[in-house]
Amino acid sequence: MDYKKIIKNKELRFKILHSLKFVPDSLMLKLQYKMKMGRKLNWKDPKRWTEKLQWYKKNYRTPLMTQCADKLEVREYIKSKGLESILNKLYAVYDSADQFNLDILPQKFVIKTTNGSGTNILCKDKSQLHLDKVKQCLNDWMYRDNFSVGREWSYKDIVPKIIVEEYLEDKSNPFDGINDYKFICFNGKAKFIVLDVDRNIDHKRNIYDADWNFIDVSTDYPNFGDTVPMPEGLDEMLRVANILAADFPFVRVDLYWVNGTVYFGELTFYPWTGYVQFVPDEFDFILGGEFQLPIRKSIGGDL
């Protein structure tokens, strides 16, 4: 079922899911998995990565996950690992959009809300920024209930804030913007790398193993073949990813390699909300085979 064609407005879909917050996690995750993946969710003996991510949402919950999903508080976690040098420059922190002050900001910057994923605004020229529209967008994002949308527990107790960071540029990059390297890590070891390029124009996605061998797999975005050379900073990014992943059974570590330097992006515990169709489908099982489910660890049951 292509629910996005039935309910085209994204915010309306979120409101409907919020209204269903009373539905137990186990039932809602089964329903969403069936709707989005077109098959039943195997709770008892999950084999697929996408199935195990649903188990992870429901059964593995620690305060450290909440800290690391928070785009502001994660900075302290990074510092505690001795990796402060990979943090992007932080210009401002706001409790509400009404506090936003363009006068103190440089010409270019990136705005993010701390309590979600994909809630970013890239500003290349602040003189062209429609501030009223930006504030409205930020208010919508800050008060969006990201937990009830996909039962992504790590977002549940984040105190929403707005942060403004440095705008990173790589003028040598043949693609638009900067390359986004997503390290798929199991028990502190990066096993696969997802490369996203041209995110703002013609989004494409490649998948590699940790030795930068191309894997011919597509997701909701097409791959573009074995055409990208191994980045000079691969070894350093792998080192950083493994350090940041060490405390978790599974996490995706997002990094950038810009002008000879590693920069931190985010830590994600439920990539793509755990709903992604791989072509070929076998890759879902390959990832699932790497994900050794931990002993159930939860600070609460169904919420």
Side-chain angles (χ1 to χ4, degrees):
M1 178 190 299
D2 192 345
Y3 66 96
K4 291 183 179 179
K5 288 184 178 180
I6 299 173
I7 306 173
K8 297 180 180 180
N9 186 283
K10 186 176 183 180
E11 293 303 323
L12 178 57
R13 295 199 300 269
F14 286 174
K15 288 179 180 178
I16 291 172
L17 288 168
H18 177 68
S19 72
L20 297 172
K21 191 174 180 178
F22 65 91
V23 177
D25 293 347
S26 54
L27 177 56
M28 179 55 74
L29 291 171
K30 285 175 64 175
L31 291 171
Q32 287 189 331
Y33 194 85
K34 176 65 175 177
M35 288 180 62
K36 296 185 179 187
M37 305 300 288
R39 55 178 175 262
K40 290 183 178 180
L41 172 59
N42 184 348
W43 273 131
K44 293 183 179 180
D45 187 24
K47 300 295 185 184
R48 295 173 176 271
W49 182 63
T50 53
E51 291 177 327
K52 291 184 177 183
L53 284 175
Q54 309 313 314
W55 185 99
Y56 202 42
K57 290 180 190 178
K58 180 177 178 292
N59 295 312
Y60 196 85
R61 303 174 172 187
T62 75
L64 188 57
M65 293 174 79
T66 299
Q67 178 188 359
C68 289
D70 185 316
K71 290 183 173 57
L72 178 61
E73 296 300 322
V74 70
R75 297 175 72 91
E76 295 304 314
Y77 179 74
I78 302 263
K79 292 176 184 177
S80 76
K81 295 296 183 179
L83 295 172
E84 185 173 1
S85 63
I86 71 171
L87 290 172
N88 199 2
K89 186 179 296 182
L90 181 64
Y91 293 132
V93 179
Y94 302 118
D95 293 317
S96 75
D98 292 334
Q99 297 174 344
F100 203 87
N101 184 358
L102 274 178
D103 293 337
I104 67 170
L105 298 176
Q107 197 69 13
K108 299 180 179 183
F109 49 83
V110 178
I111 313 168
K112 302 177 181 179
T113 57
T114 61
N115 62 324
S117 181
T119 53
N120 308 328
I121 297 173
L122 307 181
C123 176
K124 297 182 180 181
D125 180 357
K126 71 177 182 179
S127 68
Q128 302 298 314
L129 194 70
H130 298 287
L131 191 55
D132 289 341
K133 291 183 179 179
V134 167
K135 287 182 177 180
Q136 181 60 53
C137 186
L138 291 172
N139 280 328
D140 290 343
W141 286 344
M142 286 182 74
Y143 298 106
R144 177 188 293 172
D145 184 354
N146 290 289
F147 164 69
S148 62
V149 171
R151 304 301 168 103
E152 297 179 86
W153 178 84
S154 62
Y155 294 120
K156 182 175 183 293
D157 292 322
I158 295 175
V159 177
K161 294 180 183 291
I162 298 164
I163 59 174
V164 185
E165 296 181 335
E166 181 181 4
Y167 185 98
L168 297 175
E169 294 182 278
D170 184 357
K171 295 181 180 179
S172 66
N173 190 351
F175 302 106
D176 178 68
I178 56 178
N179 290 354
D180 190 352
Y181 299 92
K182 304 176 185 294
F183 292 81
I184 306 296
C185 303
F186 303 94
N187 291 314
K189 186 71 173 178
K191 294 291 187 177
F192 298 95
I193 306 163
V194 178
L195 170 63
D196 281 316
V197 303
D198 274 349
R199 298 193 64 164
N200 301 316
I201 296 178
D202 184 22
H203 194 165
K204 295 180 287 292
R205 174 177 291 154
N206 271 7
I207 298 177
Y208 302 86
D209 67 16
D211 295 317
W212 203 252
N213 294 307
F214 173 72
I215 301 172
D216 192 7
V217 173
S218 295
T219 61
D220 42 350
Y221 297 102
N223 74 49
F224 49 100
D226 190 11
T227 61
V228 180
M230 179 188 297
E232 292 181 4
L234 180 61
D235 286 345
E236 178 62 8
M237 286 192 287
L238 284 167
R239 183 185 75 86
V240 168
N242 290 342
I243 291 172
L244 295 180
D247 293 323
F248 307 104
F250 168 79
V251 67
R252 194 188 77 195
V253 180
D254 295 2
L255 301 172
Y256 306 106
W257 177 255
V258 180
N259 304 319
T261 302
V262 177
Y263 288 94
F264 175 72
E266 65 178 328
L267 297 181
T268 302
F269 297 101
Y270 324 110
W272 309 297
T273 322
Y275 305 125
V276 57
Q277 298 277 13
F278 294 106
V279 180
D281 183 56
E282 177 190 3
F283 194 65
D284 199 3
F285 290 97
I286 292 174
L287 287 175
E290 297 286 353
F291 194 173
Q292 302 304 309
L293 291 178
I295 297 172
R296 176 187 173 106
K297 183 175 185 179
S298 177
I299 61 173
D302 286 343
L303 301 175

